[in-house]
Amino acid sequence: MSRLSNQAYHRSKFTDTMKRYLLTTGLLLSVFWLQANNLQISNVTQTGNNISFTLSWENSWNTTNNINPLYPNNWDAVWVFVKYQNQIDNLWKPAKLSSTAGDHSVTGGGATLQVDPVADSMGVFIRRSSPGAGNISSAAVTLRMGPRIGTGAFNFKVFGVEMVHAPQDTLQAGDGLVNGSLYFSPITITSARQSSGLITGELYSGSPAIPASFPMGFNAFYCMKYEATNEQWVDFLNTLTYDQQASRIDAAPNSAAGTNAYTASVTHEGIVEIVVPGLNNTQPAVFGCDLTDDNAFNTSNDGQNIPFVAVGKGDMLAYLDWAGLRPMTELEYEKACRGPRPRISTEYAWGSTNFAPRTRANLVNGGTATEASSATVVNGQVIAASGSPSHGPARNGIFATGSSGRESSGASFYGMMEMSGNLWELMVTAGSGGLTITANSNGDGSLSTNGNANVATWPDPLGTTGIATRGGSWWETTSNSVFTRIAYRHNVAVGVGRSYVYGIRGVRSAN
Ligand SMILES: [Ca+2]
Ligand SMILES: [Ca+2]
Ligand SMILES: [Ca+2]
Ligand SMILES: [Ca+2]
């Protein structure tokens, strides 16, 4: 394996997740270390409009000097966003971050880093400025916030999500198989096709006209490196109101401590639990992780780094609206997996037809940050074909090690993990209910009073169209390995119910 591929696909045995930190103006009150992992935000302080913190993450890369077309010219980044709470209404609101790069700074960290602001001020990307790879350790970050509602002391939480850059490039849509509307036609998405849109019937049998405003994967975007974890989901729930929480869980938020937040028909639906009950309609509940089901929450083996599974389309859209991201489209999914490479018939996210299903029965250190596979390392390893309710998805990046390549780690062309298997990816369908989404229709950081996403151009979170699935999950049987392929359009009209096979992953168009 080449040095470049090692850079791009090298992953720590520790995975990412999002960290939350709570402070009161200028004074760090408490730090919640829900789980050790490789994305850390600490030492949060605030002075006026500036919020400062220390940022670390592992196995960062920038391969923009790569000359081998088998590997990407790209980088990873951390999407950072901030929520604040005033002492008037106690609601967690999004803090705008300046859209001017010069208002922000990052120093140290062991590499030359930069802060890339975004036009809608919903967050910033922090990334390597130049080619290199390795850990980013204790970078000092200061971000300029916009005005906040309220006066006096504020509380702040700083969140980070690891993402991967997919540069502007062509996409060979479909893997060459043709079967009604089950596969995209083998066409190439070029600048011209993105600019003009697609005519009726061009993308698949019976496809509607696809407007030029629909993101087709040609233009650059960032995609979450991993499926959202239990810890990330808990952090999200813990910023919502009581009524918003009620929409995003199955139980009532005022249920007793230790109550499963979700009706658990499989073991992993029981990980997220109520730690502190809410008070009806006033005080929100506090949630935590408890895979071990012993009411000792957020300890080292409670599944914080395992993807969250009790997901419905409304949950996925709410999380992305809150995080200032947006759902990916079906074409962006194929782009994230295949990159600009030639299509390969029946290929999986790792770019080949090798398929070696693994389950949680193959894991050691289950539920911890070092959860690992004990199975023989081969190409095409994927969490799939379990079918056992006691199983579930595995920790993000489970097959990635210091010596793994794309095919043995399961990485997509650009380095997104578990795009095939683990949990189904939910995305905007190139069809009914999905065609109004645009490149820059990101979430605004706030949800409706009942906890739903409310971005006008997105699929209706309460509707029956607009969201599709790709990539298969831990549950599907080996005979259904077709579901795990990049190109297979399994379900293009996901309903509103929650499922233990769906996951959360979002994108954001790059400026
Ligand atoms: Ca439980
Ligand atoms: Ca526990
Ligand atoms: Ca997946
Ligand atoms: Ca919103």
Side-chain angles (χ1 to χ4, degrees):
M1 178 164 121
S2 80
R3 188 179 64 84
L4 280 165
S5 70
N6 194 46
Q7 288 175 3
Y9 300 120
H10 181 104
R11 297 290 182 281
S12 155
K13 62 186 178 181
F14 297 100
T15 134
D16 79 313
T17 53
M18 180 162 50
K19 276 293 167 218
R20 77 181 167 107
Y21 295 89
L22 177 66
L23 74 146
T24 291
T25 306
L27 174 68
L28 186 65
L29 285 184
S30 55
V31 176
F32 295 92
W33 288 93
L34 296 181
Q35 177 63 57
N37 60 50
N38 72 344
L39 172 58
Q40 298 176 2
I41 295 171
S42 57
N43 302 321
V44 179
T45 59
Q46 177 237 349
T47 304
N49 285 331
N50 286 336
I51 189 159
S52 300
F53 53 91
T54 303
L55 173 68
S56 301
W57 81 102
E58 295 184 355
N59 300 306
S60 162
W61 77 85
N62 176 316
T63 57
T64 51
N65 61 343
N66 170 45
I67 58 171
N68 184 338
L70 291 174
Y71 301 108
N73 292 51
N74 75 333
W75 54 81
D76 76 334
V78 178
W79 169 244
V80 174
F81 56 101
V82 178
K83 307 286 184 186
Y84 74 94
Q85 181 185 46
N86 67 31
Q87 316 245 323
I88 302 167
D89 58 19
N90 292 318
L91 303 178
W92 287 101
K93 298 179 174 69
K96 293 289 184 74
L97 299 176
S98 172
S99 58
T100 302
D103 286 344
H104 310 296
S105 70
V106 56
T107 59
T112 304
L113 303 176
Q114 67 187 66
V115 180
D116 292 343
V118 296
D120 63 12
S121 297
M122 291 310 302
V124 296
F125 289 102
I126 299 177
R127 67 176 179 93
R128 284 176 178 266
S129 299
S130 52
N135 297 342
I136 303 298
S137 177
S138 300
V141 181
T142 296
L143 305 178
R144 176 93 47 91
M145 297 183 288
R148 292 166 301 287
I149 299 168
T151 57
F154 297 92
N155 295 321
F156 292 91
K157 292 181 179 181
V158 180
F159 300 91
V161 180
E162 284 186 67
M163 301 188 78
V164 176
H165 188 256
Q168 177 178 305
D169 211 334
T170 55
L171 163 67
Q172 295 196 7
D175 68 4
L177 296 179
V178 176
N179 184 347
S181 61
L182 284 177
Y183 299 91
F184 284 162
S185 302
I187 61 173
T188 299
I189 303 299
T190 59
S191 176
R193 277 199 161 103
Q194 176 69 74
S195 298
S196 62
L198 304 178
I199 62 173
T200 303
E202 190 174 9
L203 189 57
Y204 55 87
S205 176
S207 67
I210 309 296
S213 54
F214 187 82
M216 297 184 198
F218 176 80
N219 292 318
F221 62 99
Y222 281 95
C223 176
M224 284 169 62
K225 197 184 283 182
Y226 306 111
E227 298 156 346
T229 63
N230 287 305
E231 183 179 52
Q232 287 175 308
W233 184 252
V234 161
D235 289 347
F236 161 75
L237 290 177
N238 286 341
T239 64
L240 303 184
T241 66
Y242 185 102
D243 289 345
Q244 289 172 332
Q245 289 177 343
S247 294
R248 299 278 66 93
I249 65 174
D250 291 339
N254 61 359
S255 302
T259 302
N260 287 339
Y262 300 92
T263 305
S265 52
V266 301
T267 301
H268 277 214
E269 283 182 305
I271 293 177
V272 174
E273 295 185 2
I274 291 174
V275 177
V276 180
L279 295 173
N280 204 10
N281 305 120
T282 55
Q283 183 72 28
V286 177
F287 295 86
C289 299
D290 188 17
L291 172 61
T292 57
D293 238 354
D294 55 4
N295 287 2
F297 302 102
N298 306 322
T299 51
S300 62
N301 54 353
D302 273 329
Q304 295 91 323
N305 298 305
I306 295 170
F308 169 62
V309 296
V311 173
K313 65 193 290 187
D315 303 315
M316 182 272 289
L317 294 171
Y319 181 84
L320 298 180
D321 188 358
W322 172 85
L325 302 173
R326 67 167 170 82
M328 72 178 104
T329 69
E330 286 189 87
L331 283 157
E332 287 175 319
Y333 171 78
E334 290 204 14
K335 177 67 176 299
C337 291
R338 189 179 292 122
R341 299 294 303 156
R343 62 178 69 83
I344 295 170
S345 182
T346 72
E347 69 186 313
Y348 302 101
W350 42 93
S352 80
T353 59
N354 289 314
F355 183 76
R358 305 283 189 248
T359 76
R360 290 194 63 83
N362 301 116
L363 303 186
V364 294
N365 300 335
T368 73
T370 58
E371 187 171 291
S373 172
S374 59
T376 303
V377 176
V378 298
N379 287 336
Q381 294 179 108
V382 58
I383 297 294
S386 161
S388 168
S390 64
H391 291 162
R395 176 182 70 77
N396 292 332
I398 188 74
F399 299 117
T401 68
S403 58
S404 59
R406 179 181 174 191
E407 271 198 83
S408 60
S409 68
S412 76
F413 177 77
Y414 292 115
M416 299 81 167
M417 307 302 293
E418 287 89 40
M419 294 292 273
S420 284
N422 223 32
L423 292 171
W424 285 97
E425 309 295 327
L426 298 179
M427 61 199 69
V428 179
T429 189
S432 177
L435 298 179
T436 52
I437 195 164
T438 62
N440 292 315
S441 54
N442 300 303
D444 66 355
S446 298
L447 304 178
S448 72
T449 53
N450 59 4
N452 287 319
N454 52 4
V455 183
T457 58
W458 290 10
D460 179 357
L462 303 176
T464 56
T465 62
I467 296 294
T469 58
R470 297 263 187 132
S473 81
W474 63 278
W475 177 265
E476 271 70 38
T477 63
T478 302
S479 62
N480 285 331
S481 63
V482 60
F483 296 166
T484 314
R485 297 173 187 169
I486 295 172
Y488 188 74
R489 304 181 71 225
H490 173 251
N491 179 0
V492 296
V494 173
V496 295
R498 296 194 167 98
S499 170
Y500 49 78
V501 295
Y502 294 157
I504 296 172
R505 191 188 312 251
V507 301
R508 186 176 241 276
S509 287
N511 287 342

